[in-house]
Coordinates of all heavy atoms in Angstrom, one line a residue:
G68 N -0.5 4.0 -9.8 CA 0.4 3.2 -9.0 C 0.1 1.7 -9.3 O -0.8 1.4 -10.0
A69 N 0.9 0.8 -8.7 CA 0.8 -0.6 -9.1 C -0.5 -1.2 -8.5 O -1.1 -2.2 -9.0 CB 2.0 -1.4 -8.7
T70 N -1.0 -0.6 -7.4 CA -2.3 -1.1 -6.8 C -3.3 -0.9 -7.8 O -4.1 -1.8 -8.1 CB -2.6 -0.3 -5.5 OG1 -1.6 -0.6 -4.5 CG2 -4.0 -0.6 -5.0
N73 N -2.8 -3.3 -10.8 CA -3.3 -4.7 -10.5 C -4.8 -4.8 -10.5 O -5.4 -5.7 -11.0 CB -2.7 -5.2 -9.1 CG -1.3 -5.5 -9.2 OD1 -0.7 -5.8 -10.3 ND2 -0.6 -5.6 -8.1
H98 N 0.1 -10.0 -3.5 CA -0.1 -8.7 -2.8 C -1.6 -8.4 -2.6 O -2.4 -8.8 -3.5 CB 0.6 -7.6 -3.7 CG 0.6 -6.2 -3.1 ND1 -0.4 -5.3 -3.3 CD2 1.5 -5.7 -2.2 CE1 -0.1 -4.2 -2.6 NE2 1.0 -4.4 -1.9
S100 N -3.4 -6.0 -3.3 CA -4.0 -5.4 -4.5 C -4.5 -6.4 -5.5 O -5.5 -6.2 -6.2 CB -3.1 -4.3 -5.2 OG -1.9 -4.9 -5.5
M145 N 2.4 -13.4 -9.2 CA 3.5 -12.4 -9.0 C 4.9 -12.9 -9.4 O 5.1 -14.1 -9.3 CB 3.5 -11.8 -7.6 CG 4.0 -12.7 -6.6 SD 3.5 -12.4 -4.9 CE 3.6 -10.6 -4.7
N149 N 6.6 -10.0 -2.2 CA 7.0 -8.8 -1.5 C 7.4 -9.1 0.0 O 8.0 -8.3 0.6 CB 6.0 -7.7 -1.6 CG 4.6 -8.2 -1.3 OD1 4.1 -9.1 -2.0 ND2 4.0 -7.8 -0.2
D176 N 2.4 -9.6 -11.7 CA 2.7 -8.4 -10.8 C 4.2 -8.4 -10.8 O 4.8 -9.2 -10.1 CB 2.0 -8.6 -9.5 CG 2.4 -7.5 -8.5 OD1 3.3 -6.7 -8.8 OD2 1.8 -7.5 -7.4
V178 N 6.1 -5.9 -9.7 CA 6.6 -4.8 -8.9 C 7.9 -5.1 -8.2 O 8.8 -4.2 -8.2 CB 5.5 -4.4 -7.9 CG1 6.0 -3.4 -6.8 CG2 4.3 -3.8 -8.6
Q179 N 8.0 -6.2 -7.6 CA 9.3 -6.5 -6.8 C 10.4 -7.1 -7.6 O 11.5 -7.2 -7.1 CB 8.9 -7.3 -5.5 CG 8.0 -6.6 -4.5 CD 8.7 -5.4 -3.8 OE1 9.9 -5.2 -3.9 NE2 7.9 -4.7 -3.1
S199 N 5.7 -0.5 -10.6 CA 5.6 0.6 -9.7 C 6.9 1.4 -9.6 O 7.8 1.0 -8.9 CB 5.2 0.1 -8.3 OG 5.0 1.2 -7.4
H201 N 7.8 3.9 -7.8 CA 8.4 4.3 -6.5 C 9.2 3.2 -5.8 O 9.9 3.4 -4.8 CB 7.3 4.9 -5.6 CG 6.5 4.0 -4.8 ND1 6.7 3.6 -3.5 CD2 5.3 3.4 -5.2 CE1 5.8 2.8 -3.1 NE2 4.9 2.7 -4.1
K202 N 9.1 1.9 -6.3 CA 9.9 0.9 -5.7 C 11.3 0.8 -6.3 O 12.1 0.1 -5.9 CB 9.2 -0.5 -6.0 CG 7.8 -0.6 -5.6 CD 7.6 -0.6 -4.1 CE 6.1 -0.9 -3.8 NZ 5.9 -0.9 -2.4
Ligands
PLP401 N1 2.5 -5.5 -5.8 C1 3.6 -5.7 -5.0 C2 4.3 -7.1 -5.1 C3 4.0 -4.8 -4.1 O1 5.1 -5.0 -3.3 C4 3.3 -3.5 -4.1 C5 3.7 -2.5 -3.1 O2 4.1 -2.8 -2.0 C6 2.3 -3.3 -4.9 C7 1.9 -4.3 -5.8 C8 1.5 -2.0 -4.9 O3 2.3 -1.0 -5.4 P1 1.9 0.6 -5.2 O4 2.6 1.0 -3.9 O5 2.6 1.3 -6.4 O6 0.5 0.7 -5.2

Side-chain angles (χ1 to χ4, degrees):
T70 292
N73 284 342
H98 184 267
S100 52
M145 72 200 322
N149 48 298
D176 174 349
V178 168
Q179 294 294 348
S199 178
H201 81 93
K202 309 288 188 184

